[in-house]
Amino acid sequence: MADAHAEHEDETFEQANAGASLTYPMQASSIRKNAYMVMKDQFPCKVVDVSTSKTGKHGHAKCHFVAVDIFTGKKYEDIVPSTHNCSVPNVSRAEYSLIDINDEGFVTLLTEGGDTREDLTLPTGTDDADKLAAQLKVDFNEGKELIVTVTKAMGIEMISSVKTTKS
């Protein structure tokens, strides 16, 4: 029996993430304004309006959600029975120092641990994102020290804001 156990000692099991899920369930009636939820099973959104309607004698109360995609700014609406579960995205934010912006629009960021990240681009896709990208370029070219906030949800990451450090 000891020999059979020894054979399996060399096996390694690799896991890409630490078991963290992209979303978690929450009852529709518990989701409030300014909370996050997944609309149409794929878009991480911030809820801008919630209204609950009571229905007839044997019906269920329904929640009407209006939410805006946190990356594209697109507006979505959905009606869900209040007792049903909705998916809520795990949204996280991290701050990085901006080191460089290259010609293709990729940014080089410095983490708190001293490592660099070069896998993100300037924000694009919406008017606000384009303005933020333009502001980043202008401030960076003026030699300002910039801290960018990166929002991450459902496997998508995007620079969501910038601030200038006091020199």
Side-chain angles (χ1 to χ4, degrees), residues 54-60:
K54 305 266 188 276
T55 55
K57 207 163 152 184
H58 300 291
H60 293 280

Side-chain angles (χ1 to χ4, degrees), residues 51-132:
S51 58
T52 306
S53 63
K54 305 266 188 276
T55 55
K57 207 163 152 184
H58 300 291
H60 293 280
K62 298 219 178 349
C63 296
H64 176 247
F65 295 103
V66 179
V68 177
D69 190 306
I70 58 177
F71 296 116
T72 65
K74 191 169 182 216
K75 192 178 192 179
Y76 295 97
E77 288 190 49
D78 202 2
I79 296 175
V80 183
S82 63
T83 55
H84 286 204
N85 278 348
C86 295
S87 293
V88 176
N90 284 314
V91 179
S92 62
R93 288 184 182 79
E95 290 189 343
Y96 301 99
S97 298
L98 181 65
I99 299 173
D100 190 28
I101 301 173
N102 73 13
D103 298 336
E104 288 100 44
F106 278 89
V107 294
T108 303
L109 304 173
L110 182 68
T111 66
E112 283 185 16
D115 298 323
T116 57
R117 284 190 64 175
E118 298 177 348
D119 58 336
L120 287 174
T121 59
L122 289 168
T124 58
T126 65
D127 290 344
D128 288 342
D130 293 339
K131 285 178 193 168
L132 180 60

Side-chain angles (χ1 to χ4, degrees), residues 10-55:
D10 296 342
E11 289 183 28
T12 57
F13 296 96
E14 293 181 27
Q15 195 169 358
N17 61 14
S21 176
L22 297 177
T23 63
Y24 60 94
M26 182 181 268
Q27 191 168 325
S29 59
S30 303
I31 298 174
R32 302 280 176 244
K33 188 174 177 179
N34 291 328
Y36 295 105
M37 72 180 292
V38 179
M39 298 294 273
K40 311 291 183 206
D41 292 330
Q42 63 185 26
F43 304 109
C45 297
K46 186 170 190 170
V47 177
V48 293
D49 190 38
V50 182
S51 58
T52 306
S53 63
K54 305 266 188 276
T55 55

